[in-house]
Amino acid sequence: MENWDEVRTAYNVARIGTVSGAAEVLGVHHATVIRHIDALEERLGVKLFQRHARGYTPTEAGEDLLRVAQATDDQFNQLAGRIKGQGNDVSGELVVTSVGGLSHLLVPVLAAFQEMYPALVVRYLTGDRLFRLEYGEAHVAIRAGAVPDQPDNVVQPFFQQQFTLYASESYVARHGLPKGPEDLPHHRFVGADDPKTRAPFLRWLQDNVPGEAIVFRSGDVHAQRNAILAGAGIGFTSVLQAAEMPGLIQVTPPRPEWAAPLWLVTHMDLHRTTKVQAFLNHLKERAAAWPVT
């Protein structure tokens, strides 16, 4: 609000009745109080106070100003209390973002956390778009791949996802398993529909399998998994996800170069809030039970 300092000064003069008392409450010199009152009266074109030996008494216009300033001050105090509460309580909204392929890991964690804090509303945002923490789009991001390097973010190593090739029982019954690298061109594969994919295992697939052998392609990781399960071809999925999908056969053991590191990312302004810290601790405790191979 423009000139709020002058309005606040006038409010305190009207409330207390003296320039010296208002100056003490505001922590300013009494000359500053007088200057604010004079400037505000000049700007409004009315007298806000009657000056007398005992102090200042509000005029009718001053009483109007006092009521408006009182309501505004109360609203500011209420707002400050709500904002403070948002920093100290596990309530309101918790916004978490990740790539969609992690939903099988994160949804149970988020559901359990929300059950612990019933006043909390959980929003889980997925997709390939990089949600901007500095713009308040999310409280916590779980990101895969190279170390995130956006400024003003706190980045912590989280989990190393192991990936390898799987085939369904129906696929193996029809086509068998590759006997070695030289046999890969003779098999059918499921892959990403993105030549610029950042996933290390999918880049390996593009570099080591002929394009014509990747017969089922999708930009949706869930569709890729379902295609593998349906027997469309051999494809990559995480070891953790495969353990929850009956009917899959591991084609080859996981390789270190196929692993996808996960990172916890928070903005420095929110990192130490009670809500964010409570969720990070909960997430790390649950992830400690995830098998790594």
Side-chain angles (χ1 to χ4, degrees):
M1 181 186 296
E2 188 178 2
N3 306 315
W4 170 247
D5 284 345
E6 294 173 1
V7 174
R8 186 177 61 163
T9 298
Y11 162 61
N12 280 280
V13 170
R15 183 174 61 86
I16 298 169
T18 65
V19 168
S20 59
E24 183 177 354
V25 168
L26 294 170
V28 298
H29 195 273
H30 73 274
T32 301
V33 174
I34 295 172
R35 186 171 66 251
H36 282 181
I37 296 298
D38 291 344
L40 189 58
E41 287 183 331
E42 183 179 355
R43 184 173 295 106
L44 296 176
V46 296
K47 284 293 183 182
L48 298 173
F49 297 96
Q50 292 178 336
R51 281 80 164 168
H52 50 77
R54 295 185 305 276
Y56 281 41
T57 300
T59 62
E60 186 176 355
E63 291 287 357
D64 284 343
L65 179 73
L66 176 61
R67 285 191 290 271
V68 172
Q70 175 71 66
T72 304
D73 190 62
D74 290 344
Q75 290 175 345
F76 273 128
N77 289 333
Q78 292 170 11
L79 175 62
R82 289 198 301 271
I83 292 173
K84 182 178 179 182
Q86 290 170 4
N88 294 329
D89 295 338
V90 184
S91 61
E93 284 190 345
L94 173 70
V95 185
V96 178
T97 176
S98 79
V99 294
L102 298 176
S103 61
H104 68 288
L105 293 174
L106 296 178
V107 166
V109 175
L110 290 165
F113 188 69
Q114 197 283 325
E115 188 174 358
M116 291 168 59
Y117 299 98
L120 189 72
V121 174
V122 171
R123 294 178 59 211
Y124 179 40
L125 310 179
T126 62
D128 293 331
R129 182 171 78 85
L130 201 66
F131 290 90
R132 304 291 295 274
L133 303 186
E134 65 272 25
Y135 292 160
E137 291 185 333
H139 294 93
V140 178
I142 296 97
R143 293 180 177 157
V147 184
D149 59 358
Q150 291 79 21
D152 299 328
N153 285 341
V154 179
V155 179
Q156 304 174 69
F158 175 44
F159 188 77
Q160 191 86 348
Q161 268 207 118
Q162 301 297 325
F163 282 83
T164 193
L165 290 166
Y166 288 88
S168 69
E169 293 174 350
S170 61
Y171 177 89
V172 174
R174 294 196 310 274
H175 303 285
L177 290 172
K179 298 178 177 61
E182 69 285 351
D183 198 26
L184 294 180
H186 306 298
H187 280 267
R188 302 161 66 85
F189 288 86
V190 174
D193 193 33
D194 179 9
K196 297 181 180 180
T197 178
R198 294 177 297 173
F201 49 90
L202 292 175
R203 290 201 302 269
W204 181 93
L205 188 68
Q206 293 173 349
D207 293 341
N208 290 274
V209 171
E212 60 271 18
I214 305 176
V215 297
F216 190 103
R217 306 180 186 200
S218 176
D220 183 344
V221 293
H222 303 292
Q224 293 172 30
R225 291 169 182 159
N226 287 328
I228 297 168
L229 194 58
I234 299 170
F236 279 99
T237 190
S238 74
V239 174
L240 281 175
Q241 181 70 47
E244 301 174 3
M245 300 170 63
L248 289 185
I249 297 172
Q250 191 176 102
V251 175
T252 184
R255 297 184 186 180
E257 64 266 30
W258 293 341
L262 299 179
W263 308 90
L264 294 177
V265 187
T266 53
H267 192 269
M268 60 185 299
D269 291 342
L270 297 177
H271 178 71
R272 289 295 177 190
T273 60
T274 302
K275 178 164 54 181
V276 169
Q277 284 297 308
F279 175 68
L280 291 177
N281 291 334
H282 172 76
L283 177 58
K284 292 173 184 177
E285 288 174 6
R286 292 291 294 263
W290 296 344
V292 294
T293 57

